[in-house]
Short mmCIF file of all heavy atoms in Angstrom, two decimals:
data_model
loop_
_atom_site.label_atom_id
_atom_site.label_comp_id
_atom_site.label_asym_id
_atom_site.label_seq_id
_atom_site.Cartn_x
_atom_site.Cartn_y
_atom_site.Cartn_z
N GLY A 89 1.25 12.00 -5.09
CA GLY A 89 1.89 10.76 -4.63
C GLY A 89 3.33 10.97 -4.20
O GLY A 89 4.11 11.64 -4.89
N GLY A 90 3.67 10.42 -3.04
CA GLY A 90 5.05 10.46 -2.56
C GLY A 90 5.30 9.27 -1.65
O GLY A 90 4.36 8.52 -1.34
N LYS A 91 6.51 9.07 -1.25
CA LYS A 91 6.82 7.97 -0.32
C LYS A 91 8.17 8.25 0.32
O LYS A 91 9.06 8.82 -0.31
CB LYS A 91 6.90 6.64 -1.08
CG LYS A 91 6.71 5.43 -0.19
CD LYS A 91 5.25 5.06 -0.09
CE LYS A 91 5.02 3.79 0.71
NZ LYS A 91 3.63 3.34 0.64
N SER A 92 8.31 7.84 1.57
CA SER A 92 9.60 7.90 2.25
C SER A 92 10.11 6.49 2.46
O SER A 92 9.35 5.60 2.81
CB SER A 92 9.46 8.52 3.64
OG SER A 92 8.82 9.75 3.60
N VAL A 93 11.41 6.33 2.27
CA VAL A 93 12.05 5.07 2.60
C VAL A 93 13.21 5.38 3.54
O VAL A 93 14.03 6.26 3.25
CB VAL A 93 12.57 4.37 1.32
CG1 VAL A 93 13.67 3.38 1.65
CG2 VAL A 93 11.42 3.64 0.61
N ILE A 94 13.23 4.71 4.66
CA ILE A 94 14.40 4.81 5.54
C ILE A 94 15.11 3.46 5.48
O ILE A 94 14.55 2.43 5.89
CB ILE A 94 14.00 5.15 7.00
CG1 ILE A 94 13.18 6.44 7.03
CG2 ILE A 94 15.26 5.29 7.86
CD1 ILE A 94 12.66 6.82 8.42
N ALA A 95 16.31 3.47 4.90
CA ALA A 95 17.09 2.23 4.80
C ALA A 95 17.85 2.07 6.11
O ALA A 95 18.78 2.82 6.41
CB ALA A 95 18.04 2.31 3.61
N LEU A 96 17.40 1.11 6.90
CA LEU A 96 17.92 0.95 8.27
C LEU A 96 19.26 0.22 8.26
O LEU A 96 19.50 -0.64 7.41
CB LEU A 96 16.92 0.17 9.12
CG LEU A 96 15.53 0.80 9.30
CD1 LEU A 96 14.61 -0.16 10.06
CD2 LEU A 96 15.64 2.13 10.04
N PRO A 97 20.09 0.49 9.29
CA PRO A 97 21.37 -0.23 9.40
C PRO A 97 21.19 -1.66 9.90
O PRO A 97 22.08 -2.49 9.76
CB PRO A 97 22.15 0.61 10.42
CG PRO A 97 21.10 1.32 11.22
CD PRO A 97 19.93 1.55 10.31
N ALA A 98 20.02 -1.95 10.49
CA ALA A 98 19.71 -3.29 11.02
C ALA A 98 18.19 -3.37 11.14
O ALA A 98 17.52 -2.32 11.13
CB ALA A 98 20.35 -3.47 12.40
N PRO A 99 17.63 -4.58 11.22
CA PRO A 99 16.16 -4.65 11.35
C PRO A 99 15.66 -3.79 12.51
O PRO A 99 16.33 -3.67 13.54
CB PRO A 99 15.91 -6.13 11.61
CG PRO A 99 17.09 -6.83 11.01
CD PRO A 99 18.25 -5.90 11.19
N ARG A 100 14.49 -3.22 12.33
CA ARG A 100 13.93 -2.28 13.30
C ARG A 100 13.94 -2.88 14.72
O ARG A 100 14.27 -2.19 15.70
CB ARG A 100 12.50 -1.93 12.86
CG ARG A 100 11.59 -1.31 13.90
CD ARG A 100 11.64 0.20 13.89
NE ARG A 100 11.08 0.72 15.11
CZ ARG A 100 9.85 1.20 15.25
NH1 ARG A 100 9.05 1.24 14.22
NH2 ARG A 100 9.43 1.66 16.41
N ALA A 101 13.60 -4.16 14.84
CA ALA A 101 13.52 -4.79 16.17
C ALA A 101 14.88 -4.82 16.87
O ALA A 101 14.94 -4.94 18.10
CB ALA A 101 12.98 -6.21 16.02
N GLU A 102 15.96 -4.70 16.09
CA GLU A 102 17.30 -4.75 16.71
C GLU A 102 17.86 -3.37 17.04
O GLU A 102 18.94 -3.25 17.61
CB GLU A 102 18.28 -5.47 15.75
CG GLU A 102 17.96 -6.94 15.60
CD GLU A 102 18.77 -7.60 14.47
OE1 GLU A 102 19.82 -7.04 14.08
OE2 GLU A 102 18.31 -8.65 13.99
N LEU A 103 17.14 -2.31 16.69
CA LEU A 103 17.65 -0.95 16.97
C LEU A 103 17.27 -0.54 18.38
O LEU A 103 16.15 -0.78 18.83
CB LEU A 103 17.03 0.05 15.98
CG LEU A 103 17.32 -0.17 14.49
CD1 LEU A 103 16.63 0.91 13.65
CD2 LEU A 103 18.81 -0.17 14.23
N ASP A 104 18.21 0.13 19.09
CA ASP A 104 17.84 0.61 20.42
C ASP A 104 17.00 1.88 20.30
O ASP A 104 16.95 2.51 19.24
CB ASP A 104 19.09 0.81 21.30
CG ASP A 104 20.04 1.81 20.69
OD1 ASP A 104 19.59 2.90 20.30
OD2 ASP A 104 21.25 1.50 20.56
N ASP A 105 16.35 2.25 21.40
CA ASP A 105 15.41 3.38 21.37
C ASP A 105 16.07 4.68 20.93
O ASP A 105 15.48 5.46 20.18
CB ASP A 105 14.79 3.59 22.76
CG ASP A 105 13.74 2.54 23.04
OD1 ASP A 105 13.44 1.75 22.12
OD2 ASP A 105 13.24 2.49 24.19
N ALA A 106 17.31 4.91 21.41
CA ALA A 106 17.99 6.17 21.09
C ALA A 106 18.25 6.26 19.59
O ALA A 106 18.07 7.33 18.97
CB ALA A 106 19.30 6.27 21.86
N THR A 107 18.65 5.15 18.99
CA THR A 107 18.92 5.16 17.55
C THR A 107 17.64 5.44 16.78
O THR A 107 17.59 6.26 15.85
CB THR A 107 19.51 3.79 17.12
OG1 THR A 107 20.71 3.58 17.86
CG2 THR A 107 19.78 3.73 15.63
N TRP A 108 16.56 4.76 17.17
CA TRP A 108 15.28 4.95 16.46
C TRP A 108 14.79 6.38 16.61
O TRP A 108 14.31 7.00 15.65
CB TRP A 108 14.25 3.93 16.95
CG TRP A 108 12.94 4.05 16.24
CD1 TRP A 108 11.74 4.39 16.80
CD2 TRP A 108 12.68 3.87 14.83
NE1 TRP A 108 10.76 4.44 15.83
CE2 TRP A 108 11.31 4.12 14.61
CE3 TRP A 108 13.48 3.54 13.74
CZ2 TRP A 108 10.71 4.03 13.35
CZ3 TRP A 108 12.89 3.46 12.48
CH2 TRP A 108 11.52 3.69 12.30
N ARG A 109 14.96 6.94 17.81
CA ARG A 109 14.53 8.33 18.04
C ARG A 109 15.32 9.29 17.16
O ARG A 109 14.79 10.21 16.56
CB ARG A 109 14.71 8.72 19.51
CG ARG A 109 13.48 8.49 20.36
CD ARG A 109 13.56 9.26 21.69
NE ARG A 109 12.81 10.52 21.65
CZ ARG A 109 11.48 10.62 21.64
NH1 ARG A 109 10.73 9.54 21.63
NH2 ARG A 109 10.89 11.79 21.63
N ARG A 110 16.62 9.06 17.06
CA ARG A 110 17.44 9.93 16.21
C ARG A 110 16.98 9.82 14.75
O ARG A 110 16.89 10.83 14.04
CB ARG A 110 18.93 9.50 16.34
CG ARG A 110 19.85 10.33 15.46
CD ARG A 110 21.32 9.96 15.62
NE ARG A 110 22.10 10.60 14.56
CZ ARG A 110 22.55 11.85 14.60
NH1 ARG A 110 22.34 12.60 15.66
NH2 ARG A 110 23.22 12.36 13.59
N ILE A 111 16.67 8.60 14.34
CA ILE A 111 16.21 8.39 12.95
C ILE A 111 14.92 9.17 12.72
O ILE A 111 14.75 9.87 11.70
CB ILE A 111 16.06 6.88 12.67
CG1 ILE A 111 17.45 6.27 12.49
CG2 ILE A 111 15.17 6.60 11.47
CD1 ILE A 111 17.48 4.75 12.40
N LEU A 112 13.99 9.10 13.67
CA LEU A 112 12.72 9.84 13.50
C LEU A 112 12.97 11.35 13.47
O LEU A 112 12.34 12.08 12.69
CB LEU A 112 11.73 9.47 14.60
CG LEU A 112 11.11 8.07 14.53
CD1 LEU A 112 10.13 7.85 15.68
CD2 LEU A 112 10.39 7.83 13.19
N HIS A 113 13.88 11.83 14.31
CA HIS A 113 14.19 13.27 14.33
C HIS A 113 14.74 13.73 12.98
O HIS A 113 14.35 14.77 12.45
CB HIS A 113 15.18 13.59 15.45
CG HIS A 113 14.51 13.81 16.78
ND1 HIS A 113 14.48 15.02 17.43
CD2 HIS A 113 13.81 12.95 17.55
CE1 HIS A 113 13.79 14.91 18.55
NE2 HIS A 113 13.38 13.65 18.66
N LEU A 114 15.65 12.94 12.42
CA LEU A 114 16.22 13.33 11.12
C LEU A 114 15.16 13.26 10.02
O LEU A 114 15.12 14.12 9.13
CB LEU A 114 17.41 12.41 10.78
CG LEU A 114 18.64 12.63 11.67
CD1 LEU A 114 19.68 11.56 11.40
CD2 LEU A 114 19.24 14.02 11.44
N HIS A 115 14.31 12.25 10.10
CA HIS A 115 13.24 12.14 9.10
C HIS A 115 12.33 13.37 9.18
O HIS A 115 11.98 13.96 8.15
CB HIS A 115 12.46 10.85 9.36
CG HIS A 115 11.41 10.54 8.33
ND1 HIS A 115 11.57 10.83 6.99
CD2 HIS A 115 10.17 9.98 8.44
CE1 HIS A 115 10.48 10.45 6.33
NE2 HIS A 115 9.61 9.95 7.18
N ALA A 116 11.99 13.78 10.40
CA ALA A 116 11.13 14.97 10.59
C ALA A 116 11.80 16.21 10.00
O ALA A 116 11.14 17.05 9.36
CB ALA A 116 10.82 15.18 12.06
N ALA A 117 13.11 16.34 10.20
CA ALA A 117 13.82 17.50 9.65
C ALA A 117 13.73 17.50 8.13
O ALA A 117 13.53 18.55 7.49
CB ALA A 117 15.28 17.48 10.10
N ASN A 118 13.85 16.32 7.52
CA ASN A 118 13.74 16.23 6.05
C ASN A 118 12.33 16.60 5.59
O ASN A 118 12.14 17.28 4.58
CB ASN A 118 14.08 14.81 5.57
CG ASN A 118 15.53 14.46 5.88
OD1 ASN A 118 16.37 15.34 6.00
ND2 ASN A 118 15.82 13.17 6.03
N LEU A 119 11.32 16.14 6.36
CA LEU A 119 9.94 16.48 6.01
C LEU A 119 9.73 18.00 6.07
O LEU A 119 9.10 18.60 5.19
CB LEU A 119 8.96 15.79 6.97
CG LEU A 119 8.90 14.26 6.87
CD1 LEU A 119 8.12 13.68 8.04
CD2 LEU A 119 8.27 13.83 5.55
N ASN A 120 10.30 18.62 7.11
CA ASN A 120 10.14 20.08 7.25
C ASN A 120 10.77 20.83 6.07
O ASN A 120 10.25 21.85 5.63
CB ASN A 120 10.74 20.55 8.57
CG ASN A 120 9.80 20.25 9.73
OD1 ASN A 120 8.57 20.23 9.55
ND2 ASN A 120 10.34 20.01 10.92
N LEU A 121 11.89 20.30 5.57
CA LEU A 121 12.53 20.96 4.42
C LEU A 121 11.61 21.00 3.21
O LEU A 121 11.69 21.91 2.38
CB LEU A 121 13.82 20.22 4.04
CG LEU A 121 15.03 20.46 4.95
CD1 LEU A 121 16.18 19.56 4.52
CD2 LEU A 121 15.46 21.92 4.90
N LEU A 122 10.72 20.01 3.11
CA LEU A 122 9.81 19.97 1.94
C LEU A 122 8.59 20.87 2.14
O LEU A 122 7.76 21.03 1.24
CB LEU A 122 9.39 18.53 1.64
CG LEU A 122 10.55 17.63 1.17
CD1 LEU A 122 10.08 16.21 0.94
CD2 LEU A 122 11.18 18.18 -0.09
N GLY A 123 8.46 21.41 3.34
CA GLY A 123 7.51 22.50 3.57
C GLY A 123 6.05 22.20 3.27
O GLY A 123 5.31 23.09 2.86
N GLY A 124 5.62 20.95 3.42
CA GLY A 124 4.20 20.65 3.21
C GLY A 124 3.89 20.17 1.80
O GLY A 124 2.74 19.84 1.49
N ASN A 125 4.90 20.14 0.93
CA ASN A 125 4.65 19.56 -0.40
C ASN A 125 4.53 18.04 -0.33
O ASN A 125 4.12 17.40 -1.28
CB ASN A 125 5.77 19.94 -1.37
CG ASN A 125 5.68 21.40 -1.75
OD1 ASN A 125 4.64 21.84 -2.23
ND2 ASN A 125 6.73 22.15 -1.47
N TYR A 126 4.93 17.48 0.81
CA TYR A 126 4.81 16.04 1.03
C TYR A 126 4.43 15.80 2.49
O TYR A 126 5.03 16.38 3.39
CB TYR A 126 6.14 15.32 0.71
CG TYR A 126 6.19 13.90 1.24
CD1 TYR A 126 5.42 12.90 0.65
CD2 TYR A 126 6.96 13.58 2.35
CE1 TYR A 126 5.43 11.60 1.15
CE2 TYR A 126 6.99 12.28 2.85
CZ TYR A 126 6.22 11.30 2.24
OH TYR A 126 6.23 10.02 2.73
N THR A 127 3.40 14.98 2.70
CA THR A 127 2.99 14.60 4.06
C THR A 127 3.11 13.09 4.18
O THR A 127 2.66 12.35 3.31
CB THR A 127 1.51 14.99 4.30
OG1 THR A 127 1.38 16.40 4.11
CG2 THR A 127 1.08 14.64 5.72
N THR A 128 3.72 12.64 5.28
CA THR A 128 3.92 11.21 5.42
C THR A 128 2.83 10.55 6.26
O THR A 128 1.87 11.19 6.68
CB THR A 128 5.33 10.91 5.97
OG1 THR A 128 5.66 9.56 5.66
CG2 THR A 128 5.41 11.12 7.48
N GLY A 129 2.98 9.26 6.48
CA GLY A 129 2.04 8.47 7.28
C GLY A 129 2.69 7.12 7.52
O GLY A 129 3.85 6.93 7.16
N PRO A 130 1.98 6.17 8.12
CA PRO A 130 2.61 4.87 8.40
C PRO A 130 2.71 3.99 7.16
O PRO A 130 1.94 4.13 6.21
CB PRO A 130 1.65 4.24 9.42
CG PRO A 130 0.36 4.95 9.25
CD PRO A 130 0.63 6.28 8.64
N ASP A 131 3.67 3.10 7.16
CA ASP A 131 3.80 2.04 6.14
C ASP A 131 4.60 0.91 6.80
O ASP A 131 4.78 0.92 8.02
CB ASP A 131 4.49 2.59 4.87
CG ASP A 131 4.28 1.66 3.67
OD1 ASP A 131 3.14 1.58 3.17
OD2 ASP A 131 5.23 0.97 3.26
N VAL A 132 5.08 -0.02 6.01
CA VAL A 132 5.80 -1.17 6.56
C VAL A 132 6.96 -0.67 7.43
O VAL A 132 7.76 0.17 7.00
CB VAL A 132 6.34 -2.07 5.42
CG1 VAL A 132 7.22 -3.18 5.98
CG2 VAL A 132 5.19 -2.63 4.61
N GLY A 133 7.01 -1.12 8.66
CA GLY A 133 8.11 -0.75 9.56
C GLY A 133 7.83 0.48 10.39
O GLY A 133 8.65 0.86 11.24
N THR A 134 6.70 1.15 10.17
CA THR A 134 6.31 2.28 11.03
C THR A 134 4.83 2.14 11.38
O THR A 134 4.08 1.49 10.66
CB THR A 134 6.54 3.65 10.36
OG1 THR A 134 5.75 3.73 9.16
CG2 THR A 134 8.00 3.89 10.03
N ALA A 135 4.45 2.78 12.49
CA ALA A 135 3.06 2.65 12.95
C ALA A 135 2.61 3.98 13.56
O ALA A 135 3.38 4.95 13.61
CB ALA A 135 2.96 1.52 13.97
N ALA A 136 1.37 3.99 14.04
CA ALA A 136 0.80 5.24 14.58
C ALA A 136 1.68 5.83 15.69
O ALA A 136 1.83 7.06 15.78
CB ALA A 136 -0.62 4.97 15.09
N ALA A 137 2.28 4.98 16.51
CA ALA A 137 3.13 5.48 17.61
C ALA A 137 4.30 6.29 17.05
O ALA A 137 4.72 7.30 17.65
CB ALA A 137 3.64 4.32 18.45
N ASP A 138 4.84 5.88 15.92
CA ASP A 138 5.94 6.64 15.30
C ASP A 138 5.43 7.96 14.73
O ASP A 138 6.14 8.97 14.76
CB ASP A 138 6.59 5.80 14.18
CG ASP A 138 7.09 4.47 14.70
OD1 ASP A 138 7.82 4.47 15.71
OD2 ASP A 138 6.72 3.43 14.13
N MET A 139 4.19 7.93 14.21
CA MET A 139 3.61 9.17 13.69
C MET A 139 3.40 10.16 14.85
O MET A 139 3.55 11.37 14.67
CB MET A 139 2.28 8.90 12.97
CG MET A 139 2.41 7.97 11.78
SD MET A 139 3.66 8.51 10.58
CE MET A 139 4.81 7.12 10.60
N ASP A 140 3.07 9.64 16.04
CA ASP A 140 2.92 10.51 17.21
C ASP A 140 4.23 11.24 17.51
O ASP A 140 4.24 12.44 17.80
CB ASP A 140 2.51 9.70 18.45
CG ASP A 140 1.11 9.11 18.33
OD1 ASP A 140 0.40 9.48 17.38
OD2 ASP A 140 0.75 8.29 19.20
N VAL A 141 5.34 10.52 17.42
CA VAL A 141 6.65 11.14 17.68
C VAL A 141 6.95 12.17 16.58
O VAL A 141 7.32 13.31 16.86
CB VAL A 141 7.77 10.07 17.72
CG1 VAL A 141 9.13 10.73 17.89
CG2 VAL A 141 7.52 9.07 18.85
N LEU A 142 6.76 11.77 15.33
CA LEU A 142 7.02 12.71 14.21
C LEU A 142 6.19 13.98 14.36
O LEU A 142 6.67 15.09 14.09
CB LEU A 142 6.72 12.05 12.87
CG LEU A 142 7.70 10.98 12.36
CD1 LEU A 142 7.18 10.35 11.08
CD2 LEU A 142 9.09 11.60 12.12
N ALA A 143 4.93 13.80 14.82
CA ALA A 143 4.02 14.95 14.90
C ALA A 143 4.46 15.98 15.95
O ALA A 143 4.03 17.13 15.91
CB ALA A 143 2.60 14.48 15.18
N THR A 144 5.34 15.57 16.87
CA THR A 144 5.87 16.56 17.82
C THR A 144 6.98 17.39 17.17
O THR A 144 7.43 18.38 17.73
CB THR A 144 6.45 15.88 19.09
OG1 THR A 144 7.56 15.07 18.70
CG2 THR A 144 5.40 15.03 19.81
N LEU A 145 7.43 16.96 15.98
CA LEU A 145 8.57 17.59 15.33
C LEU A 145 8.24 18.26 14.00
O LEU A 145 9.01 19.07 13.49
CB LEU A 145 9.67 16.54 15.08
CG LEU A 145 10.11 15.74 16.31
CD1 LEU A 145 10.82 14.45 15.90
CD2 LEU A 145 11.03 16.60 17.18
N THR A 146 7.10 17.86 13.42
CA THR A 146 6.71 18.40 12.11
C THR A 146 5.19 18.32 11.97
O THR A 146 4.58 17.37 12.46
CB THR A 146 7.38 17.61 10.96
OG1 THR A 146 6.80 18.04 9.72
CG2 THR A 146 7.18 16.11 11.08
N PRO A 147 4.58 19.29 11.28
CA PRO A 147 3.12 19.19 11.04
C PRO A 147 2.78 18.27 9.86
O PRO A 147 1.60 18.00 9.62
CB PRO A 147 2.71 20.63 10.73
CG PRO A 147 3.94 21.30 10.21
CD PRO A 147 5.13 20.59 10.81
N HIS A 148 3.79 17.79 9.14
CA HIS A 148 3.52 17.09 7.88
C HIS A 148 3.39 15.58 8.06
O HIS A 148 4.14 14.79 7.47
CB HIS A 148 4.61 17.44 6.86
CG HIS A 148 4.85 18.92 6.78
ND1 HIS A 148 3.84 19.82 6.49
CD2 HIS A 148 5.96 19.67 7.00
CE1 HIS A 148 4.32 21.06 6.51
NE2 HIS A 148 5.61 20.99 6.83
N VAL A 149 2.42 15.20 8.91
CA VAL A 149 2.24 13.79 9.28
C VAL A 149 0.75 13.46 9.36
O VAL A 149 -0.02 14.18 9.98
CB VAL A 149 2.84 13.52 10.69
CG1 VAL A 149 2.67 12.06 11.07
CG2 VAL A 149 4.29 13.90 10.74
N PHE A 150 0.38 12.34 8.75
CA PHE A 150 -0.96 11.77 8.92
C PHE A 150 -0.83 10.51 9.78
O PHE A 150 0.23 9.91 9.86
CB PHE A 150 -1.56 11.31 7.58
CG PHE A 150 -1.93 12.41 6.64
CD1 PHE A 150 -1.85 12.20 5.27
CD2 PHE A 150 -2.38 13.64 7.08
CE1 PHE A 150 -2.22 13.19 4.36
CE2 PHE A 150 -2.75 14.64 6.19
CZ PHE A 150 -2.66 14.41 4.82
N GLY A 151 -1.95 10.10 10.38
CA GLY A 151 -2.01 8.77 10.99
C GLY A 151 -1.49 8.67 12.41
O GLY A 151 -1.00 7.62 12.82
#
Side-chain angles (χ1 to χ4, degrees):
K91 201 89 176 188
S92 307
V93 158
I94 304 176
L96 299 175
R100 162 92 197 261
E102 292 170 21
L103 299 180
D104 59 49
D105 284 354
T107 301
W108 181 244
R109 267 197 99 71
R110 179 178 168 84
I111 285 172
L112 288 181
H113 275 247
L114 291 171
H115 185 35
N118 297 335
L119 293 169
N120 282 330
L121 284 175
L122 294 178
N125 288 304
Y126 166 71
T127 301
T128 200
D131 196 71
V132 174
T134 60
D138 303 309
M139 299 306 119
D140 293 350
V141 176
L142 287 175
T144 64
L145 306 161
T146 171
H148 311 303
V149 181
F150 291 149

